[in-house]
Amino acid sequence: MSTKLGFAPLPTMTADEALSEAHRCLMCWDAPCTRACPTSIDVPGFIKRIAHDDLVGSARTILDANILGASCARVCPTEVLCAGACVLNELHERPIDIGRLQAFATDDVVFGDLGLFRSVESTGRSVGIVGAGPAGLACGAELARMGHDVVMYDANEKPGGLNTYGVANYKMDQQTAIREVSFVESLGVEIRSGTAVGADVSLDDLFKNHDAVFLGVGLGAVPALGLDGEDLNGVEDALEFIAALRSASVDLTGQHVAVIGGGNTAIDSVTQAALLGADRVYLVYRRGRDEMKAYPHDIERALTNGVDFIHWSAPKRIEGDGSVSALVCDRTEYGSDGKLQTTEGSEYAIPVSMVLRATGQEKRRSFLEQIDGVAVDASGRVTVDDQFRTGNDRIWAGGDCVNGGKEVVNAVAHGKAAAIDIDRVLQSSPRGK
Amino acid sequence: MADLSVNMCGIDSPNPFWLASAPPTNTGDQIARAFDAGWGGAVWKTLGEPIENVYSRYSSIDVNGQKIVGLNNIELITDRSLEMNLIEIEEVKRRYPDHAVVVSLMVESNADAWDEIIKQVEQAGADGIELNFGCPHGMSERGMGAAVGQVPDYTCDITGWAKASATVPVLVKLTPNITDIRMAARAAKNGGADGVSLINTINSITGVDLDNFVPRPVVGDKSSHGGYCGPAVKPIALNMVASIAADPFTEGLPISGIGGIATWQDVAEYILLGSTTIQVCTAVMHYGYRIVEDMAEGLSNYLDSKGMASVNELRGLSVAKVTDWQDLDINYVVKADIDQDKCIHCGLCYVACQDGAHQAIGAERSEDDKTNVWIIEDACVGCNLCSLVCPVQGCITMEEREFGQTHMTWNEYTSDASPGDLYPRPKHGVTIGGD
């Protein structure tokens, strides 16, 4: 692994650091941080337990609300969630470092062997979960804690979904993600990795073997842009680039990298490329800074790592002889009709040796459409009600396949809410499938 | 630049800042360094019969990360020889003739013992002596310290012995571990004391080691109650200082105020309530002698801002402003006022008022999902709690309300010749778990 500065996630807080930070918390009434958390973690509650030297209580407060509290502590965009809502911002003080306090509080429980959550008596009901990413793990963990048998199916070699394959290394390393999955397994969840539903296990068997099914299938690859030269060596799906880095680092010294897109995957890719030593890193985006979906704090991190942002540019073709040598773009602008258009005669080339696509993931429409009663909307997202029920009364869904791609913490919230509803339905329905 | 020099019952001091008899005044070297740092006087750590101390002597309480809000100690009087101390007293006085060197003393309760040691310290050049009638641990079990201070007759008698022997001023250091401090002060005065020093430390157990169940400080498998001091005791000490200053039986008796003093504001408060000098221990144990720099500069700036040329002008100005409850104006009305521009929406005022006071603050989430709070004027009893919990300076203020109401004390209100009506009070407890 690379040991480049800034490549590793921030170290865990020391006890002294956590204590002094915990004491800064004002313990707000109806705390804005808790309100800003999609999983409604009682933030002042867990922070005060740190301050009062009750780490087990602190971890339980977090994990009862969000079983993936350890990874959320690392990958959540706290700047726009809990810490962004911290009232200390209004006092012109540094907000509480909630993410790192949460990691401090949960690490011993999640990565240790405290046995904080004991298994309960089995209900004899079984739930199949498709996809062992954050939504599925959260759903499965809750159901297992309620006594249901849970089997999770995941097509990838390793479980954990985007936590394992899609998170930038500088936020959380893969080992941490895998260890958290092991914690979920310790709650009584069975995970079958390398097992694709629809291929290795038939849909019929899935529904035959389980009383209920939760779909946490996430999204697919970043589709090709349809540009000339897209098949040249050095053109890649940005997510695959990030996934490859999870198990083996690469040295990008001497490389000129262009990442196409303006969202979170694009910003993670450029920062990652810069940290891996690329000589030049460009973020190429059709529109302006204000229209980027990436978070301001992530944009700032990319900028401080030396990334060049090229706005108002639409990729037109990729040039090269076997390998990429240039990304050719047109300038863009808003036309009088308010629509984005390319500017005639504005073509220019950016000399690069790598091009990464970060222009949005495909929906798993073809898989989902095979399942009776599961409807997808026009943009390919699974349609669910408030309880995350699909049109099939035995199937629930949550996470990126429902919201089109948001944060881990949103997926956890879906999975947990679905689990609560699944439990309610199973408890109130007669046995027999 | 105001004049900070004072005269404490005949002892001249370049400023009112004295070190209390305690670990910071254990040796001549320490006191010399303290004088170099700016302290005007020092009360030498108590001299007396030879003793031995235990290891592990101090324990403290921290509050929300603030270290040593209160300090507890089970250290006894000096464990250095009287001979060595006397040599050092002489040396310190030789090098610092203008500074106040007061020597604290504690010996067994017979006149000859007191006479002997007083003559020795006077010979060494002490400017005054302080009778330690306050030490609450160890020495009191041997019939000294607080064992004397807790019995006014003993206090009076032994003060009399000391006065009979001494040619320099005699201060009596009082224990707060007593029901009414005024009785001890009166006894000291009756015995002829030139002034009193207070408070000594308060009996305390600061906490228990939750692993081995031994209270702190842990001495092997046991502990002992100690003497409590530091910022936490200041309010208790201020009340005792004020009550002695206001007591007609001890009127004019010079006071050296002690208890939790760390800043110039603390000093000013002690002086306002009647102290001539103040004594510091815990803050120096925490931060060192250098804290006197801020004290001197801060007090001087404060006096300048008040147009006072001397610290003596400040003394006692607040004594008459302490009165019995029944003499307070029950028609004085204040209501809380929230500066919405300063509010950071933490909701602390709301929950404090709702659960801990008088349900006079409303709260709701605003459209942009912040906690908005407001004062329910009719329900507000002006208790101050919200302004105390608010983390923003100047956000919640207490505003006086004038309705032409009559100034009226409880005594006047309940007398036959009541001067007016009671201004209406908010009523509470109409519904339980109401809507």
Side-chain angles (χ1 to χ4, degrees), chain A residues 23 26-30 32 35 48 52 87-88 90-91, chain B residues 64-65 344-348 350-351 365 369-371 392:
Chain A
H23 284 315
L26 295 179
M27 210 175 167
C28 294
W29 166 254
D30 191 17
R35 279 144 61 179
K48 284 302 149 189
H52 302 158
V87 301
L88 293 183
E90 300 205 36
L91 206 52
Chain B
N64 273 357
I344 61 169
H345 313 286
C346 65
L348 288 173
Y350 167 75
V351 69
R365 293 183 187 181
D369 205 33
K370 293 180 186 304
T371 302
V392 185

Side-chain angles (χ1 to χ4, degrees), chain A residues 18-177:
Chain A
L19 198 61
S20 96
E21 187 67 3
H23 284 315
R24 295 178 60 233
C25 174
L26 295 179
M27 210 175 167
C28 294
W29 166 254
D30 191 17
C33 46
T34 295
R35 279 144 61 179
C37 176
T39 58
S40 300
I41 292 173
D42 176 4
V43 176
F46 93 70
I47 290 178
K48 284 302 149 189
R49 283 167 176 81
I50 293 174
H52 302 158
D53 198 21
D54 177 16
L55 280 188
V56 168
S58 184
R60 188 188 291 278
T61 302
I62 295 163
L63 298 172
D64 273 344
N66 179 337
I67 200 71
L68 301 191
S71 59
C72 286
R74 294 165 166 85
V75 305
C76 258
T78 55
E79 292 86 345
V80 295
L81 294 173
C82 51
C86 179
V87 301
L88 293 183
N89 290 297
E90 300 205 36
L91 206 52
H92 305 292
E93 273 187 35
R94 190 169 50 80
I96 303 295
D97 196 348
I98 297 168
R100 292 182 70 221
L101 280 174
Q102 184 167 313
F104 177 81
T106 50
D107 280 2
D108 283 351
V109 169
V110 174
F111 306 132
D113 192 20
L114 292 186
L116 187 58
F117 300 105
R118 302 192 191 290
S119 50
V120 298
E121 201 184 332
S122 172
T123 62
R125 313 305 286 272
S126 176
V127 181
I129 293 180
V130 187
L137 288 167
C139 185
E142 292 300 326
L143 288 166
R145 291 181 65 196
M146 295 163 177
H148 303 296
D149 296 333
V150 177
V151 180
M152 304 186 67
Y153 304 89
D154 196 281
N156 286 318
E157 183 195 339
K158 297 171 185 171
L162 281 181
N163 267 2
T164 298
Y165 289 104
V167 170
N169 284 338
Y170 57 83
K171 290 181 177 168
M172 175 171 71
D173 61 28
Q174 188 179 55
Q175 196 195 1
T176 302

Side-chain angles (χ1 to χ4, degrees), chain B residues 103-126:
Chain B
V103 179
S104 173
L105 300 176
M106 183 197 294
V107 290
E108 61 182 297
S109 296
N110 75 64
D112 290 342
W114 284 97
D115 182 63
E116 184 181 348
I117 198 164
I118 287 171
K119 292 224 157 49
Q120 287 174 304
V121 299
E122 282 196 359
Q123 180 72 31

